[in-house]
Amino acid sequence: MSAKRIIPCLDVRGGKVVKGVNFEGVKEVGDPVEFAEKYNRQGADEIVLYDISASIENRIVDLDLVRRIKAVINVPFAVAGGISTVEDFRKVLEAGADKVSINSMAIKNPTLIKQAADMFGSGCIILGVDAKRDNSKSSGFAVMVSGGMKDSGLDLIEWVRTAEELGVGEICLNSIDTDGVKQGYDIDMLNAVCAAVGVPVIASGGCGKVEHFSEVFEKTKASAALAASVFHFGELTVEEIKKFLTESD
């Protein structure tokens, strides 16, 4: 269990790290470069930067911010936000990202996944998925867009299988139902996705205490757990989590 990855996520808007609950009530919590440097020191296995306003503002993620964060960390670095073309992939990778995550644009233009995989390799492509419970879908889960407010029309399991076939190398699954609530990861949703695909799955949304990390690794096949609030507000450190997981083995 100790080999599982712990990934702090930096949701950024207007140059500041922000956090909300169920995608609402977003507030500023700090400087992304300072946070990234701190999590790097704590032993994070990877760090994710998500420019949450890039798509809304019809622009690519802040490349200067990508460069500044890359300069202070020495762990794998994933970047998301407003990436809509293969050229955008190239710019983000050249700015210092090791992996590029796409979400809504992959839904709008699925061929982008294959184009990017063919050019840069599946290993650097993460599919970000925001999903929630919806009994009208065959799997019981719907893929959401527009900050989790709009149903994309896609069934979660059908979508992740399609994305894997197109060349996605990893899936970051965020449950809107548990996001920011701190009651634990969405075990049922994670198990459904892990059973449907062969690529690594990152658990996201809902972590509130150290036991939630051990729970997600014990009850699902998730290869990594991503969190934000518990790190940003100083409730947990990466070191504390890793120590707990090692002692729980």
Side-chain angles (χ1 to χ4, degrees):
M1 188 186 302
S2 57
K4 300 289 189 176
R5 292 172 293 154
I6 306 300
I7 307 176
C9 179
L10 307 171
D11 292 320
V12 174
R13 183 178 68 183
K16 297 292 184 181
V17 176
V18 297
K19 196 67 188 84
V21 177
N22 298 130
F23 281 40
E24 298 178 352
V26 176
K27 62 180 180 180
E28 292 184 1
V29 295
D31 178 76
V33 179
E34 291 177 2
F35 272 131
E37 187 172 23
K38 178 174 69 173
Y39 300 145
N40 185 75
R41 288 197 309 269
Q42 290 179 2
D45 295 293
E46 295 182 22
I47 291 173
V48 173
L49 168 68
Y50 181 22
D51 188 333
I52 65 173
S53 57
S55 293
I56 298 169
E57 296 172 2
N58 196 31
R59 61 172 175 80
I60 193 172
V61 59
D62 184 340
L63 296 176
D64 181 62
L65 179 57
V66 173
R67 295 184 190 98
R68 288 190 290 127
I69 290 177
K70 182 64 174 181
V72 299
I73 66 174
N74 56 12
V75 295
F77 183 30
V79 174
I83 296 156
S84 60
T85 66
V86 171
E87 178 63 13
D88 288 343
F89 269 84
R90 185 189 64 76
K91 289 178 180 177
V92 173
L93 292 168
E94 288 183 350
D98 299 290
K99 302 177 182 180
V100 176
S101 179
I102 51 174
N103 188 321
S104 57
M105 188 51 63
I107 294 171
K108 293 177 183 176
N109 179 21
T111 58
L112 176 61
I113 298 172
K114 186 176 188 326
Q115 291 171 346
D118 288 344
M119 186 167 292
F120 305 109
S122 294
C124 70
I125 303 171
I126 302 173
L127 177 73
V129 183
D130 296 316
K132 68 185 301 184
R133 280 169 169 71
D134 185 341
N135 291 330
S136 71
K137 298 294 190 289
S138 60
S139 70
F141 304 104
V143 177
M144 307 296 287
V145 292
S146 300
M149 301 301 291
K150 182 180 177 182
D151 187 342
S152 70
L154 295 172
D155 175 83
L156 173 61
I157 299 307
E158 292 175 4
W159 174 228
V160 295
R161 283 175 173 160
T162 296
E164 181 181 28
E165 291 173 0
L166 288 168
V168 158
E170 196 167 13
I171 293 168
C172 183
L173 178 65
N174 186 57
S175 171
I176 294 170
D177 297 312
T178 62
D179 183 76
V181 180
K182 300 185 179 180
Q183 297 300 307
Y185 293 100
D186 197 323
I187 302 300
D188 292 341
M189 185 185 291
L190 282 161
N191 278 328
V193 171
C194 288
V197 299
V199 296
V201 177
I202 302 169
S204 174
C207 178
K209 57 184 180 180
V210 68
E211 289 82 4
H212 291 153
F213 286 92
S214 58
E215 178 187 44
V216 76
F217 293 138
E218 288 168 359
K219 295 184 177 180
T220 80
K221 292 184 178 180
S223 69
L226 179 149
S229 298
V230 292
F231 294 133
H232 301 341
F233 298 121
E235 297 162 32
L236 289 173
T237 67
V238 176
E239 294 139 307
E240 289 170 344
I241 295 164
K242 290 194 167 188
K243 184 173 185 290
F244 181 84
L245 293 177
T246 299
E247 293 173 350
S248 298
D249 280 349

